[in-house]
Amino acid sequence: MTSPSTEITNINRNYISSMETAKTAVYVSGYSCGFRTKRGENLTNLVKWERKESNLDCCWTCACYITDDGKIVYLGFCNDVASPNASLVSSPTEPIKEKFDQVKNEQPPADNYQTSVSGINYERMICIVGDKSATLPDHTCSWCITAVNVGFSIVVCGWRLLAAITRQNSCILWRDIQFDKPILPSTHDSNILVKSISLGDKYSAVLTPDGEAFELKLEDTTYTLQQLTVPKVKQVSCGKEHVLLLTTDGSVFSYGLGSRGQLGHSGLTNENVPRKVEALDGVAIASIAAGGWHSAALDTIGSVYMWGWNESGQLALPCSKVDSQRSDNVSVEATPNLVNFPLEVTITKISLGSRHSAAIADDGKLWSWGWNGYGQLCLGDKQIRDVPTAVNISPVSDVACRDWSTIVWAASK
């Protein structure tokens, strides 16, 4: 029997081959203080991120990327961490000169971080370039975070949290851009390797290279890892208040708050431990995505199932905000529902934001739908859609929906 991962690879083979011969660029749309060019401006059209680095992430408070030599560059808030009126650090069309080029390297923090994680001694390892005095207008700033002799491979932005995974599969967190105070694993958890991490508002989770999933619990200066009783996990995804897990046999589990049907168990009750989504039994799922209060699963033949909150049409179901007179409008769908696209398509990637959704088809076409208050659907306007709508950029190799913004990897124009 062909495995789910093999089947999805077969779907992509010709498409990936064509992308390898094209130069890939990164485009952004929507709201993120790291991408907007001035206060109050949002990107309703896809704008090219004029940097060579493509390993980047963003939330509404910041944008971060990893340089080729493993440094993290942070662009975003300085003082007003919780304010939605952050100003811009850099424009994707005219990136600023690295602010930290103008600031002398600070000495490593005075406190020694003695915790050893996977054989790495964190003592004097974290170096910060730039500080809160090195600000741009409107309380914005930039930092460069260096892990000496280690290097970072993955960076993930969350609300008031930043997570990074080193090339040795160790995980470091920072809260409220306090880069001189890294949050390290507890002594008990210091030898657990981390392959990936997903940050949510209420829950965060990590996945190990061996397929073990853990819920991450923050303390003041450390974090602990509580193992989740789901075997052979291949993907974790956290929404605002819920968690999805996908196993190697294509089964989906969920737990957390269920008040908007986001758990997929045909009701609105909460679940304290992972519970299998029975409605997807018999469907081989290849990947999952958790949005703000909605969820999605992509099967191995390229079909998409969605469930949860449909307040802005993010499930691709009729929405009252689009047409309040329709009798078939759906507010909540607590059971996985097959998404109908306007054309016959085979989907290879799905990503969800707070209240919007996007998918890539095997021909490289990008589709988007849901809330569009900041132009995050990449369609050049702020109109809500409750039907998947094609975006005018192709071919697309990857997409990442964030709270109110979207990052797109596509052939360079």
Side-chain angles (χ1 to χ4, degrees):
M1 179 179 177
T2 305
S3 69
S5 59
T6 301
E7 292 184 31
I8 205 73
T9 299
N10 290 338
I11 290 174
N12 280 312
R13 183 178 294 126
N14 294 332
Y15 167 60
I16 291 174
S17 177
S18 67
M19 281 299 299
E20 287 175 347
T21 62
K23 183 180 179 181
T24 301
V26 180
Y27 299 83
V28 296
S29 183
Y31 183 111
S32 173
C33 72
F35 294 139
R36 290 157 46 219
T37 55
K38 61 185 179 181
R39 183 184 295 276
E41 181 178 25
N42 304 303
L43 306 174
T44 58
N45 286 303
L46 283 167
V47 176
K48 192 173 182 181
W49 172 249
E50 296 288 355
R51 304 203 57 86
K52 67 177 182 178
E53 295 88 4
S54 60
N55 189 338
L56 75 157
D57 195 17
C58 73
C59 65
W60 63 271
T61 60
C62 70
C64 293
Y65 64 88
I66 295 180
T67 63
D68 290 340
D69 57 354
K71 297 183 179 69
I72 295 174
V73 177
Y74 172 96
L75 306 171
F77 282 120
C78 177
N79 298 323
D80 302 325
V81 174
S83 167
N85 297 316
S87 55
L88 263 255
V89 174
S90 72
S91 161
T93 53
E94 297 180 11
I96 60 168
K97 186 181 188 304
E98 305 289 6
K99 184 68 180 178
F100 18 91
D101 285 349
Q102 307 168 24
V103 182
K104 291 182 179 180
N105 288 13
E106 291 186 348
Q107 293 297 315
D111 295 333
N112 289 332
Y113 304 106
Q114 300 286 358
T115 304
S116 178
V117 179
S118 306
I120 301 169
N121 191 332
Y122 281 89
E123 181 179 359
R124 298 180 64 82
M125 191 196 80
I126 306 299
C127 297
I128 314 298
V129 181
D131 63 357
K132 290 187 178 182
S133 64
T135 60
L136 295 172
D138 296 327
H139 305 289
T140 61
C141 57
S142 61
W143 280 273
C144 180
I145 309 170
T146 303
V148 179
N149 299 324
V150 179
F152 295 103
S153 60
I154 297 173
V155 62
V156 178
C157 298
W159 187 71
R160 304 189 72 173
L161 271 182
L162 178 70
I165 299 175
T166 71
R167 292 169 180 170
Q168 285 73 26
N169 294 107
S170 299
C171 184
I172 306 173
L173 301 173
W174 293 269
R175 181 191 286 114
D176 292 346
I177 61 172
Q178 298 180 66
F179 295 132
D180 59 337
K181 299 177 181 179
I183 303 172
L184 304 175
S186 67
T187 302
H188 179 268
D189 299 316
S190 62
N191 291 320
I192 296 177
L193 300 182
V194 176
K195 175 184 177 182
S196 63
I197 184 169
S198 181
L199 300 177
D201 287 5
K202 185 176 178 62
Y203 302 98
S204 295
V206 303
L207 181 64
T208 72
D210 294 329
E212 294 180 309
F214 294 82
E215 184 179 325
L216 187 150
K217 295 183 178 295
L218 282 177
E219 298 178 4
D220 289 339
T221 59
T222 63
Y223 64 82
T224 59
L225 297 174
Q226 178 179 315
Q227 188 164 8
L228 299 171
T229 55
V230 177
K232 298 181 179 179
V233 179
K234 64 179 286 188
Q235 186 185 355
V236 294
S237 184
C238 298
K240 293 285 188 183
E241 302 170 328
H242 72 295
V243 181
L244 300 181
L245 302 101
L246 174 65
T247 63
T248 54
D249 68 358
S251 299
V252 178
F253 292 77
S254 65
Y255 76 98
L257 274 65
S259 58
R260 293 175 174 87
Q262 62 265 49
L263 300 184
H265 300 310
S266 303
L268 306 182
T269 57
N270 302 336
E271 297 290 341
N272 294 324
V273 296
R275 175 184 170 188
K276 190 175 184 180
V277 180
E278 301 290 347
L280 293 174
D281 253 3
V283 181
I285 301 301
S287 64
I288 53 174
W293 298 272
H294 66 305
S295 304
L298 170 65
D299 70 16
T300 57
I301 62 173
S303 299
V304 177
Y305 298 82
M306 300 189 74
W307 61 96
W309 201 24
N310 192 53
E311 177 261 358
S312 295
Q314 58 263 48
L315 302 185
L317 293 173
C319 165
S320 61
K321 285 191 174 181
V322 174
D323 184 353
S324 61
Q325 303 302 313
R326 289 190 304 204
S327 59
D328 60 346
N329 286 328
V330 176
S331 175
V332 169
E333 177 56 68
T335 303
N337 183 73
L338 186 64
V339 174
N340 292 314
F341 286 79
L343 303 175
E344 185 174 342
V345 295
T346 299
I347 300 301
T348 61
K349 173 68 184 287
I350 183 76
S351 185
L352 308 184
S354 179
R355 286 178 288 164
H356 73 292
S357 310
I360 303 174
D362 62 348
D363 60 358
K365 179 69 72 177
L366 177 66
W367 299 81
S368 64
W369 61 97
W371 189 58
N372 196 30
Y374 293 106
Q376 58 265 49
L377 296 188
C378 316
L379 297 171
D381 56 39
K382 297 183 180 180
Q383 179 182 338
I384 292 174
R385 268 83 167 181
D386 58 8
V387 174
T389 304
V391 177
N392 186 27
I393 185 171
S394 186
V396 172
S397 59
D398 203 358
V399 63
C401 295
R402 294 300 179 249
D403 280 354
W404 303 333
S405 55
T406 304
I407 308 173
V408 177
W409 287 261
S412 181
K413 293 181 179 179

